Structures are given as C-alpha cells and as structure tokens.
Amino acid sequence: MLDYGSTIEPCLKREYVIVVGAEDYYDRPGNKMMFMAHAVRYVRIYGSRFDITTVLYFRGGPGVHTDRQVAALTASVRKYKGTARSVRSWRDVASHINTRTVNGCQKRVQVLIFFAHGQPGRIWLSADEGIFLTAGDLGRVDAGSFTPKRDRNSRYTFRHVTSWACQTGNAGQRGSAEQNLKNSLAQKMADFWDIQARASITRTTYAGTWAGWRPWDRNTDRRNIDNAVWEDDGADGSVESGSGSDQGNMPTGMYLLNPGQRSGYRTEDLD
C-alpha cells in the first residue's frame, strides 16, 4: 500500500529517431553508404542522451543496398545501443513515430533527423521507387507524438526536427531567401508538427563523411563492402550546408524555422 500523500509519476520514454534515405543516386564507393554512416555517427555521439534510439532506413529497390551493407549498418547501430529497422514507406515511418507506448510507458519523439537526398519541396526516401516525403505526407504524423514543449530532458533539452537533405528550407520559388523559407517543406514541418525545424536553403554537402579520404586510400578503420566504403564507427565529419540552389544564389547556413514563423529567420552552427 502506498504511503499517504505519495504519487506515482507516469514514465515517459524520449526517443531519438533518424530516418535514412536510400542512396540510389550516386553509385560511387565513397557515396554509397554515406547516409548510413552519418546515422551511425549521430547514434554514437548523441544516442546515449535518449531513452530509445531508432534508425529507420530505406533500403531502396533491388540492388541498391546489399544484405552485407544493411548488416553492417545494423551491427554498428546496435553497438551504440540503438535499433535499426527497415521501412518501405513514409506510412511506416509515421506509424513508428505515432506509436506512443512502449513497455508500459508513454513514448514521445524528442528529436527527428533526416539523412537523404532532397530538392525543394521533397526529401528523397527511395527515389528509384518513387518514394518521397512532401508536404502532403506530413499530416500522417501526429504533432502529439513529439515530446511536449514543456518537457525538459536533463540529458538533451531541446526538441527539434533536422533535415540534412538538400534544400529542405527552399520552396524553389523566385524571390528572396525569406520567401522561400516561409513556403518551404521545413516550415511546413514546423507548422504541422508544432516543433522547430532546421534545414538549409542550399544544397548540403557530405564531403566530410570520410574526412577527405578517397575510397582507394588505405585506412585501418575502413573496409569495402560490396564496392562501398564503410567504417563501423560511422562518418568522420558532419554534414554541412553548402552552396548552390535551384535559384543559384541562395545564402548558405542551417536555418531555424519555428512554428508559425514567416520572417526573421536566423542560422545556427549545427552538427
């Protein structure tokens, strides 16, 4: 029997979700597993700050990612106490995010990350299969599936969605950077999900994946998996906001887009 005046605090599990798009655009050794490598790097660096860490990866169509490549990703994520799961559609991703109980506790997503190709208005989840994330898909995720704004996790206090896909902060329109930001997929994410989104107007660069090493260089920490460079500890360096956009002249930087924001956007150094 409980002592008089005692209370039972409901348990809340905070989840870190990383969505990995299939690499079906570049077939070069250094590119083939780069999205997977950055997912592992983020699990290694940040995963311990959350109660649950999940990597949801798109394998792509036949021959895009081999069994050995997927096994390497899964083993590395598991090494750093995360779980890697294959998904085939945005509906699968949304279903995972919207699942609000686990092992008898409430579960909410605190941080959502995307590593994938992109262009104004869509993130490429599995382009060869015609699977993209667009504004019309955002409603599948319930805003209530993210941690409440008042929630403060002592290990990781800020809730957000970050897309490292190219031009997620770009609407692809003529006009100013501000106009493109306010009409972008990233701003729609912020509005639909009531959470800060972080994205680039310009193309992002994954040049730091292997810290400048060419695929043919020798490195004791690296190996070749079915003609793809891999390292069990993941990527060496961060993705960055680079140069170039559909308009050709948009400013670089990772922008912070808040729910309902339409002006006054600012950038922040992110990793």
PDB file of all heavy atoms in Angstrom, residues 53-66:
ATOM      1  N   THR A  53      16.764   4.923 -29.033  1.00  0.00           N
ATOM      2  CA  THR A  53      17.346   5.421 -30.270  1.00  0.00           C
ATOM      3  C   THR A  53      16.993   4.458 -31.395  1.00  0.00           C
ATOM      4  O   THR A  53      17.287   3.262 -31.307  1.00  0.00           O
ATOM      5  CB  THR A  53      18.877   5.545 -30.165  1.00  0.00           C
ATOM      6  OG1 THR A  53      19.193   6.496 -29.145  1.00  0.00           O
ATOM      7  CG2 THR A  53      19.480   5.993 -31.478  1.00  0.00           C
ATOM      8  N   THR A  54      16.367   4.990 -32.445  1.00  0.00           N
ATOM      9  CA  THR A  54      15.912   4.149 -33.550  1.00  0.00           C
ATOM     10  C   THR A  54      16.347   4.749 -34.883  1.00  0.00           C
ATOM     11  O   THR A  54      16.126   5.937 -35.138  1.00  0.00           O
ATOM     12  CB  THR A  54      14.378   4.016 -33.552  1.00  0.00           C
ATOM     13  OG1 THR A  54      13.942   3.565 -32.264  1.00  0.00           O
ATOM     14  CG2 THR A  54      13.924   3.023 -34.615  1.00  0.00           C
ATOM     15  N   VAL A  55      16.956   3.923 -35.722  1.00  0.00           N
ATOM     16  CA  VAL A  55      17.302   4.306 -37.085  1.00  0.00           C
ATOM     17  C   VAL A  55      16.342   3.588 -38.035  1.00  0.00           C
ATOM     18  O   VAL A  55      16.282   2.358 -38.052  1.00  0.00           O
ATOM     19  CB  VAL A  55      18.762   3.936 -37.426  1.00  0.00           C
ATOM     20  CG1 VAL A  55      19.059   4.215 -38.900  1.00  0.00           C
ATOM     21  CG2 VAL A  55      19.728   4.691 -36.521  1.00  0.00           C
ATOM     22  N   LEU A  56      15.576   4.360 -38.786  1.00  0.00           N
ATOM     23  CA  LEU A  56      14.640   3.818 -39.766  1.00  0.00           C
ATOM     24  C   LEU A  56      15.241   4.030 -41.148  1.00  0.00           C
ATOM     25  O   LEU A  56      15.397   5.166 -41.601  1.00  0.00           O
ATOM     26  CB  LEU A  56      13.288   4.527 -39.650  1.00  0.00           C
ATOM     27  CG  LEU A  56      12.616   4.479 -38.277  1.00  0.00           C
ATOM     28  CD1 LEU A  56      11.337   5.317 -38.277  1.00  0.00           C
ATOM     29  CD2 LEU A  56      12.313   3.044 -37.867  1.00  0.00           C
ATOM     30  N   TYR A  57      15.608   2.950 -41.814  1.00  0.00           N
ATOM     31  CA  TYR A  57      16.328   3.086 -43.077  1.00  0.00           C
ATOM     32  C   TYR A  57      15.517   2.539 -44.253  1.00  0.00           C
ATOM     33  O   TYR A  57      14.787   1.558 -44.138  1.00  0.00           O
ATOM     34  CB  TYR A  57      17.688   2.395 -43.013  1.00  0.00           C
ATOM     35  CG  TYR A  57      17.629   0.889 -42.860  1.00  0.00           C
ATOM     36  CD1 TYR A  57      17.590   0.052 -43.978  1.00  0.00           C
ATOM     37  CD2 TYR A  57      17.620   0.295 -41.603  1.00  0.00           C
ATOM     38  CE1 TYR A  57      17.540  -1.332 -43.840  1.00  0.00           C
ATOM     39  CE2 TYR A  57      17.563  -1.078 -41.450  1.00  0.00           C
ATOM     40  CZ  TYR A  57      17.522  -1.893 -42.579  1.00  0.00           C
ATOM     41  OH  TYR A  57      17.452  -3.254 -42.440  1.00  0.00           O
ATOM     42  N   PHE A  58      15.654   3.238 -45.374  1.00  0.00           N
ATOM     43  CA  PHE A  58      15.077   2.775 -46.640  1.00  0.00           C
ATOM     44  C   PHE A  58      16.168   2.045 -47.410  1.00  0.00           C
ATOM     45  O   PHE A  58      17.206   2.626 -47.723  1.00  0.00           O
ATOM     46  CB  PHE A  58      14.558   3.966 -47.458  1.00  0.00           C
ATOM     47  CG  PHE A  58      13.271   4.530 -46.935  1.00  0.00           C
ATOM     48  CD1 PHE A  58      13.275   5.412 -45.851  1.00  0.00           C
ATOM     49  CD2 PHE A  58      12.057   4.185 -47.501  1.00  0.00           C
ATOM     50  CE1 PHE A  58      12.091   5.937 -45.363  1.00  0.00           C
ATOM     51  CE2 PHE A  58      10.873   4.705 -47.015  1.00  0.00           C
ATOM     52  CZ  PHE A  58      10.883   5.577 -45.944  1.00  0.00           C
ATOM     53  N   ARG A  59      15.905   0.825 -47.726  1.00  0.00           N
ATOM     54  CA  ARG A  59      16.891   0.009 -48.440  1.00  0.00           C
ATOM     55  C   ARG A  59      16.888   0.304 -49.939  1.00  0.00           C
ATOM     56  O   ARG A  59      17.893   0.133 -50.616  1.00  0.00           O
ATOM     57  CB  ARG A  59      16.609  -1.474 -48.188  1.00  0.00           C
ATOM     58  CG  ARG A  59      17.601  -2.399 -48.827  1.00  0.00           C
ATOM     59  CD  ARG A  59      17.473  -3.800 -48.306  1.00  0.00           C
ATOM     60  NE  ARG A  59      18.435  -4.688 -48.951  1.00  0.00           N
ATOM     61  CZ  ARG A  59      18.701  -5.905 -48.520  1.00  0.00           C
ATOM     62  NH1 ARG A  59      18.077  -6.373 -47.436  1.00  0.00           N
ATOM     63  NH2 ARG A  59      19.580  -6.668 -49.146  1.00  0.00           N
ATOM     64  N   GLY A  60      15.762   0.767 -50.446  1.00  0.00           N
ATOM     65  CA  GLY A  60      15.659   1.059 -51.867  1.00  0.00           C
ATOM     66  C   GLY A  60      15.249  -0.159 -52.669  1.00  0.00           C
ATOM     67  O   GLY A  60      14.966  -1.229 -52.125  1.00  0.00           O
ATOM     68  N   GLY A  61      15.209   0.013 -53.974  1.00  0.00           N
ATOM     69  CA  GLY A  61      14.814  -1.076 -54.864  1.00  0.00           C
ATOM     70  C   GLY A  61      15.882  -2.151 -54.958  1.00  0.00           C
ATOM     71  O   GLY A  61      16.932  -2.080 -54.300  1.00  0.00           O
ATOM     72  N   PRO A  62      15.654  -3.157 -55.795  1.00  0.00           N
ATOM     73  CA  PRO A  62      16.603  -4.272 -55.943  1.00  0.00           C
ATOM     74  C   PRO A  62      18.004  -3.787 -56.291  1.00  0.00           C
ATOM     75  O   PRO A  62      18.205  -2.985 -57.194  1.00  0.00           O
ATOM     76  CB  PRO A  62      16.001  -5.087 -57.097  1.00  0.00           C
ATOM     77  CG  PRO A  62      14.543  -4.770 -57.061  1.00  0.00           C
ATOM     78  CD  PRO A  62      14.460  -3.319 -56.648  1.00  0.00           C
ATOM     79  N   GLY A  63      18.973  -4.266 -55.522  1.00  0.00           N
ATOM     80  CA  GLY A  63      20.365  -3.972 -55.804  1.00  0.00           C
ATOM     81  C   GLY A  63      20.879  -2.646 -55.288  1.00  0.00           C
ATOM     82  O   GLY A  63      22.072  -2.347 -55.438  1.00  0.00           O
ATOM     83  N   VAL A  64      20.038  -1.834 -54.661  1.00  0.00           N
ATOM     84  CA  VAL A  64      20.514  -0.532 -54.176  1.00  0.00           C
ATOM     85  C   VAL A  64      21.432  -0.715 -52.973  1.00  0.00           C
ATOM     86  O   VAL A  64      22.558  -0.207 -52.944  1.00  0.00           O
ATOM     87  CB  VAL A  64      19.333   0.400 -53.837  1.00  0.00           C
ATOM     88  CG1 VAL A  64      19.841   1.679 -53.174  1.00  0.00           C
ATOM     89  CG2 VAL A  64      18.547   0.742 -55.100  1.00  0.00           C
ATOM     90  N   HIS A  65      20.961  -1.414 -51.944  1.00  0.00           N
ATOM     91  CA  HIS A  65      21.806  -1.721 -50.790  1.00  0.00           C
ATOM     92  C   HIS A  65      21.793  -3.231 -50.560  1.00  0.00           C
ATOM     93  O   HIS A  65      20.729  -3.849 -50.443  1.00  0.00           O
ATOM     94  CB  HIS A  65      21.307  -0.998 -49.535  1.00  0.00           C
ATOM     95  CG  HIS A  65      21.564   0.480 -49.562  1.00  0.00           C
ATOM     96  ND1 HIS A  65      22.832   1.007 -49.552  1.00  0.00           N
ATOM     97  CD2 HIS A  65      20.718   1.538 -49.619  1.00  0.00           C
ATOM     98  CE1 HIS A  65      22.764   2.322 -49.587  1.00  0.00           C
ATOM     99  NE2 HIS A  65      21.498   2.674 -49.635  1.00  0.00           N
ATOM    100  N   THR A  66      22.970  -3.805 -50.485  1.00  0.00           N
ATOM    101  CA  THR A  66      23.096  -5.252 -50.373  1.00  0.00           C
ATOM    102  C   THR A  66      22.850  -5.725 -48.940  1.00  0.00           C
ATOM    103  O   THR A  66      22.849  -4.924 -47.996  1.00  0.00           O
ATOM    104  CB  THR A  66      24.503  -5.709 -50.805  1.00  0.00           C
ATOM    105  OG1 THR A  66      25.461  -5.232 -49.841  1.00  0.00           O
ATOM    106  CG2 THR A  66      24.848  -5.167 -52.187  1.00  0.00           C
TER     107      THR A  66
END
